[in-house]
Amino acid sequence: MPYSVNIMPNLDKPTLLGPHVVTLVYDGLCTFEFGIAYEIFGLSRPEMGADWYRFSACAIENGPLRAAGGLTVQVDHGLEVIADADLIVVPGWRGIGTVVPAPLVDALQAASRRGVRIMSLCSGVAVLAAAGLLAGRKATTHWRYVDSIAARYPDITVDADVLYVDEDSVLTAAGSAAAIDLCLHVVRRDFGPDIANSVARRLVVPPHREGGQAQYIETPVLRQREGARLGPLLEWMRERLQEEQPIAALAARAGMSIRTFQRRFEATTGMSPGEWLLSERLRRARDLLERQAAISLDDVAVASGFGSLATMRHHFRERLAVSPSDYRKRFTVLRPDGSALSPLR
């Protein structure tokens, strides 16, 4: 017999008067994103006083509803509760290409016309896009879904290199964990930095993370098979990231003219030779920072081909929006005394 979870108000809470947060529940619910929304907006926080958020779960269809993790969910409210919402949260949707029910689209559009803030977490952006709420706007989602959303909705400017986007009344978060960043951002907007910092401390997370999701994306896959000459050349270039690699020398090694080499290189990798080298040097530096806790930042810069820490720091800031030292901290396990134990993988 399957177990079920009944999502209903906590009757022990004091009467709250703050913004009403309504989080959607559906068949195939992404429980992680729902849990983040509840943890930040729905958890009892008597220290915040009566002006703290009110929280409701909203079933968009008849239940019981299945949820990730083998749960069956029963919800007390339906779409009617959206009429009283100040903020609507859409957890990760059940599929980028899955049809969004017309009654939900109508309810979200009506809420948007009333000026209600509407927020998506991870793939929940598909719901906002289907409702037409992102047309002509900037948005983000998990990097795996960026191309799909951009292809389906060319009127949306999709930014793959941010943790969240705040378009005032419409907000979107990138990957699942970026939902925490966006929810804390909303708390910061509504109640100020001190309250947001207090909530972050209770969650044991940074109140604000630097950088975008580009730092978590693996090495790009080649757009096509390397040719017989370019395949070995790419490996040769990877093995010599510390060396200068002028394009004329690379073209000569490939047995091509400079113009032909540049054209074929970009067709194979999707990048110019200079961009490809920079991405490989960043990948090498990231790998060393994640795995080698003892190596100095100067040595990482040399080993990855940047030559100097200043140059490496510039490219980290420019491409990943985070410093090398801050990047390393996120992948390092600390002993109780604060010293580095080993990098996380």
Side-chain angles (χ1 to χ4, degrees), residues 74 121 149 160:
Q74 295 177 309
L121 310 179
I149 290 294

Side-chain angles (χ1 to χ4, degrees), residues 333-341:
V333 177
L334 298 179
R335 296 187 179 94
D337 63 3
S339 61
L341 177 60

Side-chain angles (χ1 to χ4, degrees), residues 278-315:
L278 176 56
S279 69
E280 286 296 309
R281 284 168 174 155
L282 284 169
R283 182 192 60 79
R284 176 74 59 79
R286 289 163 51 195
D287 188 65
L288 290 171
L289 291 170
E290 292 173 24
R291 296 173 181 267
Q292 304 289 335
I295 187 173
S296 71
L297 293 179
D298 289 294
D299 288 341
V300 170
V302 172
S304 54
F306 288 110
S308 71
L309 176 55
T311 300
M312 183 174 72
R313 185 181 290 116
H314 167 77
H315 287 297

Side-chain angles (χ1 to χ4, degrees), residues 8 11 13 33 47 57 80 93 106 113 127 145-146 165 173 199 202 204-205 210 212 217 254 274 287 290 296 327:
M8 60 182 295
L11 300 180
K13 283 184 178 181
E33 286 94 335
E47 72 277 13
E80 74 283 347
W93 188 233
D106 293 342
R113 289 192 293 270
V127 176
Y145 308 129
V146 166
V165 171
V199 175
R202 185 162 169 177
V204 198
V205 297
E210 294 183 17
I217 300 174
D287 188 65
E290 292 173 24
S296 71
Y327 184 89

Side-chain angles (χ1 to χ4, degrees), residues 76-221:
D76 287 349
H77 300 292
L79 288 173
E80 74 283 347
V81 75
I82 287 179
D84 185 48
D86 297 298
L87 170 65
I88 300 169
V89 181
V90 184
W93 188 233
R94 51 195 173 202
I96 289 294
T98 304
V99 174
V100 179
L104 174 58
V105 169
D106 293 342
L108 292 178
Q109 290 175 342
S112 178
R113 289 192 293 270
R114 296 195 307 272
V116 176
R117 288 179 294 174
I118 304 176
M119 178 169 73
S120 69
L121 310 179
C122 195
S123 57
V125 72
V127 176
L128 273 59
L133 303 182
L134 296 175
R137 296 178 182 267
K138 181 179 175 183
T140 192
T141 185
H142 192 285
W143 55 266
R144 290 175 55 201
Y145 308 129
V146 166
D147 290 342
S148 178
I149 290 294
R152 290 172 181 272
Y153 303 97
D155 55 353
I156 301 174
T157 302
V158 186
D159 190 342
D161 190 28
V162 292
L163 294 175
Y164 58 83
V165 171
D166 180 347
E167 286 273 301
D168 192 26
S169 61
V170 181
L171 306 93
T172 52
S176 297
I180 299 174
D181 299 280
L182 179 53
C183 290
L184 287 174
H185 169 73
V186 170
V187 174
R188 193 178 300 112
R189 265 183 51 172
D190 291 348
F191 293 95
D194 291 342
I195 297 299
N197 293 348
S198 174
V199 175
R201 281 195 300 271
R202 185 162 169 177
L203 289 166
V204 198
V205 297
H208 179 75
R209 285 196 294 166
E210 294 183 17
Q213 60 177 326
Q215 60 193 293
Y216 303 107
I217 300 174
E218 293 290 349
T219 306
V221 178

